[in-house]
Every structure is written in structure tokens, then in C-alpha cells.
């Protein structure tokens, strides 16, 4: 927490400063002012979280200085220093939103209690602000809001990290591990990014992958460069710590983006090349520019990774026909692989062992382990019938939940946790069983409900229909409806009621 001290007496400033520095509280003495004019300029330049200010100062008194400084540093918390308990000053201080009123000479216990109270209040505001940021960004990613609905957010710069998990553990164990890992990451961000000009969020993308978003005001760009480097190091260290022969994480880091729309586009681009992890070392962080380089340099390598990713998904969802087809395709690709890329085969073995219970010997030649994969596929057949029914029962429950709660901000993460599986696995099963993605299915349900409301309630306003369906703005609802039906809600209603 950044602090400034304003008092025309040097010894008072020194005493306050020394007492603050002895407190076991994370704070920085950013500046000292000897009069009201200096305080106002300092508040504008430093944007402190906390300011101690003497009532009686030269040039501009404390009350007038606070009133002026609040316009240039609206998020600062103010504490009055005074030699007397003047009721009139106290009343004016309350009207200005001053947090505390300390009598001189200030003792260390009163100062400590004051700072701790303000710090708790400050941290609570940070938590609320980040919760709101996370809610808004997640809602935008899932299509319930458009950029206009996020007008309340400042002009942040954004960066994101996509987290990809590979594991042959049970779904419940995978869920437990990734949630524990993400909690450690979230706790770290909450500790080091404790500033109102910085925001962070953990969200689940539409395909069920987890992602981290950081956002900051342009004035904090230099500070965030250091914080982001430290965050990346923490992510890599935690991926190594959690990595085993049955569980691995890969992180993909976006470029810096000027808005949330660009960041979502980067997430989609990274998702498209994420299968490259099948032919590259796991348990590390890759930058988007590195992935773009490999994709542009070697399209065959990219296609090999995508084939391996499809094989794993088919195996884990018990889709024998897709699995068999992809194995045949993978064999053709491996035979065409140049000799200097033999290490790629070893990376693929590691990838398959991670996701399929260590079924391959690392020393096997490609033809032999392709045969092993085919044998493994044959074992899918006996289990397919029982698993197919269990999967269908699961998806039926999910569909019932969507039909009952389509108007809410439905989270695939929440539903996956409820059924003790990972969001990515639920996303894969849902797409396989329903032929559309989870998010598109929600949109379809909402559009069908919109049809009913438009016809059954001809006097109902479009904005009220949008709200009832879970959209935060009528313009966003109209855009989605028009794309879905080829006509706006009003045109749709006129066409049907006119018949």
C-alpha cells in the first residue's frame, strides 16, 4: 500500500514515518509534503492508497487540500492529523469521507490500529473489485455480454495464460489436482497484485480449458512487466512441482492486448495451436510467438500434434471409430516424418503415456507403438456400451440443468465440478453427444425461448425478453437473435403475427 504524509513540521512527518516502518504491514512511504499545495500535486502524481494529512498547513489547509486532492486521486483513503479534537473539522472530515481522525502526538498503537483497519478495508475492496472483474470477463467470454456492457471497466491492457492439462488419472483426481494448482496460482496473484489499478481473473473458456487473465491501467505498464515475469516464473515452478508421469500442465502465454476482445481472439488462436504440446516438452510455459513460429515453420509438425490430441480425446471419451480412424492417419504421418525429427516420436510417446496410462515403451520404434495403440483401441469396444450409457446419462442431466437455468450465467466449470469431472472432459462429451458445443446449445435454448416469448407475449418489449433470457443488453440479444434467425426480434414477430 502506497502512503504519503503531509505535515508542515518535519519532526511529525519523521515520527509518523518511523512508526509506519516498524509495523508488520506491507506499505511504501511514497512521499512527504510540507504544505497543502505539495500534497495536492503529490496525490495527483503518486495516486497513493493512504494519506496522512495535518489539518493546519501553509498555503492550503488540510480540509481544502483533501477536497481538491479527491478530484485528482479519488481512490485515496485519508487520515486527519490534528492537535485538537475540533468538532467542526471532524464534521467536515466525515462529509469528505475521511477514514480516521488521529490526535497529535500520535502513538504507535493508535496508528497501528488505524492502518490495519484501513488495510483491511482496502483489501476487501480489492477482493470485491476482482470478483466483479472476473464475473464481467467470464460473462463476456461466454457470450452473455458484449463490449458495450463492459463500459464500466477502465481502459486496461490485458494478457492471458491458457492452461492445458494432460493426464491419465481419473476425472475426479484430475479435477482435484487442477483446482488445487489453480488455487495456489490465484492466491499468489492476490498476494502480489494487490493494487486497484491491477485486476486478475480465473475463467473457464468455452471449450472447458482454464485460463488466467491479468489487466492493468497503462500507467502501471512498467510495474506489470516485472509482475508478469514473476508470475510466469511462479507458473513454471508450480507446473514442475505438480508434474508426474501421469499428470502434466502446459501454459500458453498471450501477447499484450489493448482490449478484452483482442485477448479472446488470442485465446482462440492459442487453442488452435495448443496440440503442439504433444510434440514439445511439457511442464513449461510457451509464449504465443513461439507457437506461431513452430506452426509457420513446420505445418507437418502442427498436424501431427493435432492428430495426437484427437486420438487422446477419442480414447478418453471412448469413441472407438474416431480413435481407429485417427490412428491410421497418425501412422501415415509418422512414416512421412524425416529422420532428423525422430525426437518428435519420443515426444509423442510421452504425450500418449501421460494421457493413456503409460501404455508405450519409450524404446519402441514407431511401427511397434502404433500397433500397441491399435491394440489399446480394441479394448475400447467391450467397455463402450456401458460407458456410452453412463456418458449419455450425464449429458441428459446437464441438458436438464440448462433447460432449467438457461437464463443464468451457466458455468461449465460449475457443472463439471458438480459431476466430479474436468470442464474440458465435459465439453468434449457434450459436443460428441449433442453435435454442438456447450455454449452453442445454451444459445439455441435461449433462441427457442425467445421465439415463444415473442409469439405468446406480443406486447412484451424486446429489452424485457433479453433480460428474461439472461442477456445484459437488448442490443447484444438483438445481434445474436438476428444471426441465429436471419431477422431481428421485431421483424420475426411481425412476420409470424402477420400470417
Amino acid at each position: 500500500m502506497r502512503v504519503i504524509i503531509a505535515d508542515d513540521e518535519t519532526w511529525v512527518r519523521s515520527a509518523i514515518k518511523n512508526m509506519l516502518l516498524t509495523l508488520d504491514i506491507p506499505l511504501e512511504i511514497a512521499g512527504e509534503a510540507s504544505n497543502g499545495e505539495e500534497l495536492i500535486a503529490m496525490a495527483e502524481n503518486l495516486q497513493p492508497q493512504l494519506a496522512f494529512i495535518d489539518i493546519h498547513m501553509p498555503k492550503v489547509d488540510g480540509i481544502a487540500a483533501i477536497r481538491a486532492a479527491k478530484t485528482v486521486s479519488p481512490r485515496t483513503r485519508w487520515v486527519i492529523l490534528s492537535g485538537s479534537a475540533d468538532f467542526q473539522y471532524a464534521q467536515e472530515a466525515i462529509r469528505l469521507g475521511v477514514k480516521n481522525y488521529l490526535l497529535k502526538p500520535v502513538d504507535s498503537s493508535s496508528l497501528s490500529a488505524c492502518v490495519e483497519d484501513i488495510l483491511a478495508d482496502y483489501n476487501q475492496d480489492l477482493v470485491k473489485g476482482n470478483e466483479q472483474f472476473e464475473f464481467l470477463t467470464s460473462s463476456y467470454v461466454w457470450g452473455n455480454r458484449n463490449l458495450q456492457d463492459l463500459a464500466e471497466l477502465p481502459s486496461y491492457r490485458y494478457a492471458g495464460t491458457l492452461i492445458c492439462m494432460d493426464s491419465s488419472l481419473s476425472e475426479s483426481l484430475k479435477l482435484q489436482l487442477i483446482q488445487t494448482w489453480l488455487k495456489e496460482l490465484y492466491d499468489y496473484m492476490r498476494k502480489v497484485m494487490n493494487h486497484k489499478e491491477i485486476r486478475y481473473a480465473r475463467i473457464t473458456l468455452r471449450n472447458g480449458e482454464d485460463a488466467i487473465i491479468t489487466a492493468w491501467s497503462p500507467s502501471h505498464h512498467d510495474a506489470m512487466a516485472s509482475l508478469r515475469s514473476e508470475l510466469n516464473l511462479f507458473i513454471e515452478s508450480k507446473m514442475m512441482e505438480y508434474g508426474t508421469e501421469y499428470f502434466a500442465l502446459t501454459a500458453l502465454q498471450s501477447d499484450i492486448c489493448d482490449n478484452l476482445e483482442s485477448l479472446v481472439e488470442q485465446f482462440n488462436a492459442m487453442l488452435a495451436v495448443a496440440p503442439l504440446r504433444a510434440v514439445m516438452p511439457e511442464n513449461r510455459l510457451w509464449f504465443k510467438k513461439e507457437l506461431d513460429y513452430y506452426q509457420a515453420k513446420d505445418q507437418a509438425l502442427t498436424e501431427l500434434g493435432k492428430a495426437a490430441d484427437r486420438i487422446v480425446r477419442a480414447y478418453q471419451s471412448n469413441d472407438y471409430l474416431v480413435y481407429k480412424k485417427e490412428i491410421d492417419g497418425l501412422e501415415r504421418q509418422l512414416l512421412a516424418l524425416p529422420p532428423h525429427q525422430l525426437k518428435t516420436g519420443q515426444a509423442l510417446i510421452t504425450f500418449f503415456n501421460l494421457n493413456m496410462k503409460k501404455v508405450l515403451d519409450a524404446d519402441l520404434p514407431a511401427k511397434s507403438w502404433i500397433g500397441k495403440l491399435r491394440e489399446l483401441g480394441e479394448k475400447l469396444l467391450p467397455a463402450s456400451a456401458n460407458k456410452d450409457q453412463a456418458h449419455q446419462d450425464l449429458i441428459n442431466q446437464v441438458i436438464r440443468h440448462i433447460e432449467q437455468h438457461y437464463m443464468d450465467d451457466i458455468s461449465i466449470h460449475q457443472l463439471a465440478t458438480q459431476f466430479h469431472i474436468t470442464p474440458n472432459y465435459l465439453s468434449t462429451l457434450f459436443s460428441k453427444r449433442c453435435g454442438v458445443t456447450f455454449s452453442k446449445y445454451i444459445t439455441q435454448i435461449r433462441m427457442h425461448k425467445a421465439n415463444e416469448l415473442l409469439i405468446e407475449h406480443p406486447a412484451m418489449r424486446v429489452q424485457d425478453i433479453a433480460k428474461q433470457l439472461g442477456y445484459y443488453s437488448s442490443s447484444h440479444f438483438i445481434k445474436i437473435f438476428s444471426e441465429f434467425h436471419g431477422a431481428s426480434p421485431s421483424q420475426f414477430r411481425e412476420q409470424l403475427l402477420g400470417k
Side-chain angles (χ1 to χ4, degrees), residues 12 15-16 19 80-82 102-111:
V12 173
I16 297 291
M19 282 188 285
I80 290 288
L81 304 173
S82 178
L102 297 179
L103 291 176
K104 297 180 183 178
V106 178
D107 61 88
S108 59
S109 60
S110 297
L111 183 66

Side-chain angles (χ1 to χ4, degrees), residues 20-79:
L20 286 172
L21 293 176
T22 62
L23 300 178
D24 187 21
I25 293 174
L27 50 81
E28 169 201 356
I29 309 300
E32 298 179 35
S34 60
N35 60 63
E37 286 185 355
E38 287 182 4
L39 168 71
I40 296 167
M42 198 172 288
E44 183 175 13
N45 292 330
L46 298 177
Q47 297 292 304
Q49 284 82 49
L50 173 59
F52 293 92
I53 177 168
D54 183 25
I55 283 286
H56 302 290
M57 284 194 301
K59 298 187 178 180
V60 180
D61 69 50
I63 293 296
I66 292 174
R67 189 180 295 111
K70 281 174 70 70
T71 63
V72 295
S73 185
R75 294 176 177 174
T76 300
R77 288 164 168 78
W78 303 92
V79 175

Side-chain angles (χ1 to χ4, degrees), residues 74-136:
R75 294 176 177 174
T76 300
R77 288 164 168 78
W78 303 92
V79 175
I80 290 288
L81 304 173
S82 178
S84 61
D86 192 306
F87 183 67
Q88 181 181 352
Y89 283 131
Q91 279 186 315
E92 183 61 22
I94 291 171
R95 281 194 288 270
L96 287 172
V98 168
K99 290 295 180 181
N100 212 327
Y101 196 105
L102 297 179
L103 291 176
K104 297 180 183 178
V106 178
D107 61 88
S108 59
S109 60
S110 297
L111 183 66
S112 176
C114 169
V115 175
E116 287 179 358
D117 181 58
I118 289 174
L119 183 62
D121 182 53
Y122 174 74
N123 287 334
Q124 186 177 23
D125 280 356
L126 284 179
V127 170
K128 288 180 180 178
N130 277 301
E131 287 176 348
Q132 178 70 359
F133 176 77
E134 188 168 88
F135 173 72
L136 290 173

Side-chain angles (χ1 to χ4, degrees), residues 165-205:
M165 174 179 58
D166 292 295
S167 176
S168 57
L169 298 173
S170 68
E171 281 297 306
S172 58
L173 279 175
K174 283 194 280 189
L175 181 65
Q176 182 180 344
L177 277 171
I178 190 64
Q179 286 184 333
T180 303
W181 188 87
L182 286 168
K183 183 181 183 303
E184 288 195 40
L185 179 57
Y186 199 80
D187 289 344
Y188 173 83
M189 290 191 295
R190 183 168 54 191
K191 179 181 178 181
V192 302
M193 296 184 179
N194 57 337
H195 195 285
K196 282 198 171 183
E197 299 301 321
I198 301 173
R199 288 287 180 257
Y200 52 87
R202 189 189 86 184
I203 65 169
T204 303
L205 301 177

Side-chain angles (χ1 to χ4, degrees), residues 380-408:
L380 290 178
L381 287 172
S384 290
N386 291 335
K387 283 199 172 182
D388 279 352
Q389 186 57 52
H391 290 164
Q392 190 59 56
D393 292 342
L394 171 64
I395 298 305
N396 287 341
Q397 292 181 66
V398 171
I399 288 173
R400 283 196 294 271
H401 183 92
I402 293 173
E403 289 175 344
Q404 295 170 4
H405 301 279
Y406 63 87
M407 71 296 295
D408 301 326

